[in-house]
Amino acid sequence: MILRPWDRVLPRSIADFGCFLLVAIFVPVTYIFQITVVLPELFAIGGFCYTVLWLASLFIVFNISSNMLAAMLVDTTIRMELLKPPSEPVKLGRWRSCHDCQTLVPPRSWHCEVCNVCVLKRDHHCRFIGCCIGHHNYRYFLFFLVYMIIGSLAALITHSVYLWYLHVDVYWQLSSLYTVVAPALSLTLKPSWESFYLVIYELNLLGFGISSLLLIFHWPIVSIGSVSRERNSRKYDRGLRGNLEMVLGHRMHLTWLSPFVRSELPHDGVNWEVTSASSTKEE
């Protein structure tokens, strides 16, 4: 695993920085609200249920933050090491020249205008993480989405009980709808803790919805060993287990625990060859 230098880790555009800042603030604020405001009203502090939910929340927040950070730090560009084109004519024929990078790049590598570099097995540029998702950091992006979905859903359930059941007399009003529709304006004109709690609730709705849609979009692509640019192709399909191993590594059954679990990928992301199964189907 090779890490990016710090000057290439931070978001490079205003849109990237805004999306990254939203997640970086939203996740810890939701956790604090959950632990200090919501759970104490649902369960006795220090009790079994409170302790279990507190530990589960801590585990989820840890995985959201650390997988996000890992996706940002792990270098998956052609700059990660000195790439030498293969000497075999067949393999060399799959390489192509990148006008922007002024070099030969491997198959399945594409240039990103934001990152200004070619990325190995590039899937897309993620605004929320602020970098490209490719061969070496796809695992962290996937688990970032998974834990964002789990965390947002869990928060929505407990927050719904807090807002619409325990404090229905406060929140079941027309002003609450106004806050949900225009949260920034509502907080500016009428700043209050009640409005702030509604904004957190709305951010969880958005977090759950966006993360779910992204996972629904990316899962079929991952399951056939493809990337977004090749989503209708099965040229590199190695079967479901082989495709997941190509993303999660040899110890993929443990990778859900933490991004710090070492799981070597079975491919270097450079010299790709079409699978025999896909070649047979195309013929």
Side-chain angles (χ1 to χ4, degrees):
M1 180 188 299
I2 299 177
L3 302 182
R4 306 173 197 264
W6 277 106
D7 62 330
R8 290 196 287 119
V9 170
L10 297 177
R12 295 165 182 77
S13 68
I14 296 176
D16 282 5
F17 183 75
C19 292
F20 166 77
L21 197 63
L22 180 64
V23 176
I25 294 175
F26 154 69
V27 172
V29 167
T30 298
Y31 172 74
I32 293 171
F33 176 57
Q34 175 87 338
I35 298 303
T36 61
V37 178
V38 177
L39 290 185
E41 291 212 22
L42 299 179
F43 308 102
I45 297 178
F48 177 77
C49 291
Y50 180 92
T51 303
V52 169
L53 289 175
W54 169 63
L55 291 174
S57 300
L58 194 62
F59 176 75
I60 292 170
V61 169
F62 163 75
N63 270 288
I64 291 175
S65 306
S66 56
N67 276 293
M68 180 180 180
L69 187 61
M72 295 174 66
L73 290 174
V74 173
D75 197 352
T76 190
T77 70
I78 61 170
R79 295 175 183 167
M80 61 178 290
E81 58 183 296
L82 182 61
L83 297 180
K84 296 181 179 180
S87 56
E88 300 90 333
V90 176
K91 290 185 177 181
L92 183 60
R94 299 192 183 103
W95 287 53
R96 59 183 179 79
S97 176
C98 175
H99 174 74
D100 296 286
C101 294
Q102 294 292 306
T103 186
L104 286 176
V105 296
R108 310 187 80 186
S109 298
W110 290 285
H111 192 84
C112 175
E113 297 297 334
V114 180
C115 299
N116 195 31
V117 67
C118 282
V119 177
L120 297 176
K121 192 189 169 187
R122 181 179 183 269
D123 186 85
H124 69 287
H125 183 89
C126 181
R127 293 292 185 188
F128 295 100
I129 295 177
C131 65
C132 274
I133 305 303
H135 182 67
H136 293 285
N137 64 354
Y138 209 140
R139 158 193 168 182
Y140 311 113
F141 168 73
L142 281 182
F143 280 119
F144 167 72
L145 290 182
V146 169
Y147 281 106
M148 182 65 80
I149 292 172
I150 295 172
S152 298
L153 180 59
L156 281 173
I157 293 172
T158 55
H159 294 182
S160 294
V161 175
Y162 176 86
L163 296 173
W164 313 120
Y165 179 72
L166 296 179
H167 298 279
V168 63
D169 55 323
V170 176
Y171 292 98
W172 195 255
Q173 299 178 12
L174 187 62
S175 59
S176 297
L177 179 62
Y178 173 69
T179 301
V180 171
V181 173
L185 185 60
S186 177
L187 279 176
T188 303
L189 297 178
K190 188 183 176 182
S192 65
W193 284 112
E194 288 76 16
S195 297
F196 183 62
Y197 295 164
L198 279 173
V199 170
I200 295 176
Y201 184 77
E202 183 179 16
L203 287 175
N204 275 285
L205 278 172
L206 289 173
F208 176 74
I210 294 173
S211 300
S212 298
L213 289 174
L214 286 173
L215 189 61
I216 290 171
F217 174 79
H218 284 283
W219 173 251
I221 297 174
V222 173
S223 65
I224 62 172
S226 190
V227 292
S228 295
R229 194 160 179 168
E230 309 164 338
R231 58 181 174 270
N232 296 321
S233 173
R234 288 180 171 266
K235 290 197 301 182
Y236 305 100
D237 189 0
R238 290 168 170 78
L240 181 59
R241 180 180 177 81
N243 295 332
L244 288 177
E245 190 175 32
M246 195 64 68
V247 172
L248 305 179
H250 293 298
R251 303 175 70 198
M252 60 181 179
H253 58 289
L254 296 175
T255 51
W256 65 274
L257 289 170
S258 164
F260 296 104
V261 173
R262 191 174 182 84
S263 183
E264 294 292 338
L265 297 177
H267 198 283
D268 61 4
V270 180
N271 290 303
W272 295 95
E273 293 186 9
V274 177
T275 60
S276 56
S278 62
S279 298
T280 304
K281 289 178 182 177
E282 289 178 1
E283 290 175 2

